[in-house]
Amino acid sequence: MSSANPATVVARQAVEPAKRRKRNRTRELHDARTGWAFMAPFAIAFILVFLIPIFLSLYSSFFKEVSEGGGLYGGGEVSKQFVGFENYAYVVQSGAFWKGILRVLGYTAVQVPLMILLALVLALVLDSYLTRHVTAYRLGYFLPFAIPGIVAAMIWLYLYTPEISPIVQTLQSWGLDVNFMGRYTILASMANMTTWTYTGYNMLIFLAALQAIPHELEEAARIDGATGFQIVTKIKVPMVRGAALLAVLLSIVGTIQLFNEPTVMATANSWMGKDYTPMMMAYNSMMGTISPSGDGPASAVSIVMALIAGILAVLYAFVDRRLSK
């Protein structure tokens, strides 16, 4: 039998690890390129529809439209002038802006907890053994979310208008004089609209979290003699805390941007004005129906709103984390 040259064996042993490392690097590079290729469509869309608009809005907030030239009766040209933080100073010092913020904060403090609690209850009912035809109920609860927000607001405006509303006319026939669009009830009416629209959406978030809970936990609890109420309060509800955090954060950001409902309601209630909510103030500033107008002040309003929404979201996440310890 022939034996290999010891020098050849040593050389081969030295080369093989190098080849193995080269193959590993080639495979890792191929995997990385594949991952970036799959992520590229999302990254491009994210940059186009999220990062670039934010940058443009931030850039516009430092400018203001001013008239140049023209005579006694106008005729001058409108140009953009750099004004630094003047637009932000206007927003911070605007009483109408802070009144709008207080309205949406009060709205959020009442509407969001009620909506989240209702969504959790519906999810728990659908996740129980008592409910049949879960798909039909799930679709029915989610269906209002599929209706465009402006269309839903118009439907509820019809239901709130005393002259044509079947609800108001029925209540009046019972001797109840209810004004859904009064100064002290209109926020509650809009909260009802938002709750009707988004409860099903949040229910799906909770239902997905409930269905991710291992069934072995519930079966073990039943074997140990736990009642259905104890299983819900001791097992299911604590284990959907992450879903609750997500739902609340999304709701806080959404209610700060309250727009469809008050805009539609303002068409029948002129006393609300053009700046009833901060989002209405930003939109009407952009459209030139309130002064100062232009994309500069509107962008400043939007950015301050975003900062407030971010602060509220971070505070809630911080409090939730401290309470969960």
Side-chain angles (χ1 to χ4, degrees), residues 51-65 80-85 87-88 295-300 303:
L51 293 183
I52 291 180
I54 289 179
F55 174 78
L56 292 177
S57 179
L58 184 63
Y59 177 79
S60 298
S61 66
F62 294 104
F63 291 83
K64 187 177 181 180
E65 294 181 352
K80 288 187 177 182
Q81 178 181 345
F82 179 79
V83 294
F85 290 94
N87 291 325
Y88 291 98
D295 55 355
S299 298
I303 291 172

Side-chain angles (χ1 to χ4, degrees), residues 37 77 79 122 194 208 215:
E77 296 182 353
S79 63
L122 291 177
T194 306
H215 292 288

